[in-house]
Amino acid sequence: MVSYVNALLYGVGGLVVAGMALLVALQERLVYVPVLPGLTKSYPITPARLRLPYEDVWLQSSDGVRLHAWFIKLFPDCRGPTLLFFQENAGNIAHRLDMVRIMLQRLQCNVFMLSYRGYGASDGFPSQHGITKDAQAALDHLSQRTDIDTSRIVVFGRSLGGAVGAVVTKNNPDKVAALILENTFTSILDLAGVLFPFLKWFIGSSGAKGPKVLNFLVRSPWNTIDVVGEIKQPILFISGLQDEMIPPSQMQMLYAKAAARNRQCVFVEFPDGMHMDTWHSGGDRYWRTVKEFLLQHASERNESSKSAAAVKSTL
C-alpha cells in the first residue's frame, strides 16, 4: 500500500515538473506563432494583390518598438465605421486579406490591420505586456487621424485578438465605440487545460477547480474573463459552435460575465462555425449580424446630431 501511494505521489510530482518545464520553455512558442510551418515571416501578399487601396503605416509603441500596419479604406473619403482588427495568434495580417476584402464590401467600412510585435514587418518579440502596448499605439494613431470619423472606431478581435481587443477597449472608453469578440478564450490559463488535459488540475483561472499551482509560471495569461466584466461599451459576441480550438462554452462564459454588468451585450451562435471560418460558414447571416451591430452602435455622428436636434426642436 505504501509503495502504491509513493508511486502515485511520484507520478503526480512528475506531471507537475513536466508541466513546469513545458510552461517555462515553450509557452511563447505555443501562444504566439508569427510564422506558419513551411512559410516565412514576411507577408506573402499585400492588399494591392486584391486591388485594395491601402496605406503602409509605421508606428512606435510606448516602449520604442517599431510596428507595421495596413490601413485599408473602402474609398478615399470613406467616413463609415473603422474597424481596428486584431488577428489570431498564428500567421500574419496578410493571411486575413480574403476575409477583409469581403468585410469592406459587406460592411462598407475601413479596416486597420496591426502586425503585433514580432509578426509580419513589425520588430520585437511578442508578449502580453508588449502586444497590449502595440494595440494602444494603433488605437492612438487612429484616434488622431483627420480622414476618418473617430467616433466610429470599433475594435474587432478574433481568438487571441479578442483578448487583445478586450483590453484596449476597457482601457479606452472614450476612444472605442464598441467591441466585437469572435471565438475568444476566457484565459490562456483555461485554454492550457483544454489543450493539455494533464495540466488542467494545476493551471486555470480563479474560477476553475484545483490548486492551480502552475499559474505563476504563465507569462501571458490573457485573462479575458476578468476584463470583459469591466467593459462599458456595447459588445457583440460571435461564437462558432464547431470551434475545434476553443470550447464554445468559453464564449458563453465571457458573455455571461459581461452581460451581468453591461446591458449592451449581444450573443450570436453560428452552428457550422469553426475557429477560423465562422465568417465564411456563417454566410449572409454572419455579415448581417455584424452590420446591424455597427448600425446600432457606430452610427454616423452627423445623423445622430441631426436626430437629436430634430427631437429638441419639437419639444
Side-chain angles (χ1 to χ4, degrees), residues 47-90:
R49 175 75 67 86
L50 301 181
R51 298 184 178 180
L52 298 174
Y54 75 102
E55 175 187 346
D56 276 306
V57 178
W58 294 96
L59 308 170
Q60 189 172 64
S61 63
S62 60
D63 58 349
V65 176
R66 188 169 184 256
L67 307 170
H68 177 253
W70 286 329
F71 189 34
I72 307 174
K73 300 188 73 175
L74 181 63
F75 50 83
D77 298 325
C78 178
R79 299 186 72 82
T82 294
L83 300 188
L84 173 53
F85 179 75
F86 295 121
Q87 67 161 74
E88 307 88 332
N89 73 316

Side-chain angles (χ1 to χ4, degrees), residues 86-106:
F86 295 121
Q87 67 161 74
E88 307 88 332
N89 73 316
N92 59 52
I93 55 176
H95 301 125
R96 280 79 192 174
L97 283 174
D98 283 335
M99 183 272 296
V100 167
R101 177 177 59 84
I102 297 175
M103 178 181 283
L104 290 165
Q105 297 169 354
R106 298 297 298 266

Side-chain angles (χ1 to χ4, degrees), residues 207-269:
K209 298 179 180 179
K212 312 307 175 189
V213 295
L214 299 184
N215 281 4
F216 75 98
L217 293 174
V218 179
R219 292 185 287 270
S220 292
W222 290 110
N223 286 307
T224 315
I225 190 71
D226 294 332
V227 176
V228 293
E230 300 180 35
I231 294 175
K232 300 178 180 179
Q233 300 98 309
I235 310 174
L236 171 62
F237 295 83
I238 298 176
S239 178
L241 297 185
Q242 302 303 315
D243 193 326
E244 72 283 11
M245 292 293 296
I246 299 172
S249 59
Q250 294 200 12
M251 280 292 289
Q252 295 169 359
M253 292 170 65
L254 289 175
Y255 169 73
K257 184 66 176 288
R261 296 185 179 182
N262 185 344
R263 295 185 177 181
Q264 300 182 92
C265 294
V266 180
F267 186 87
V268 183
E269 297 178 333

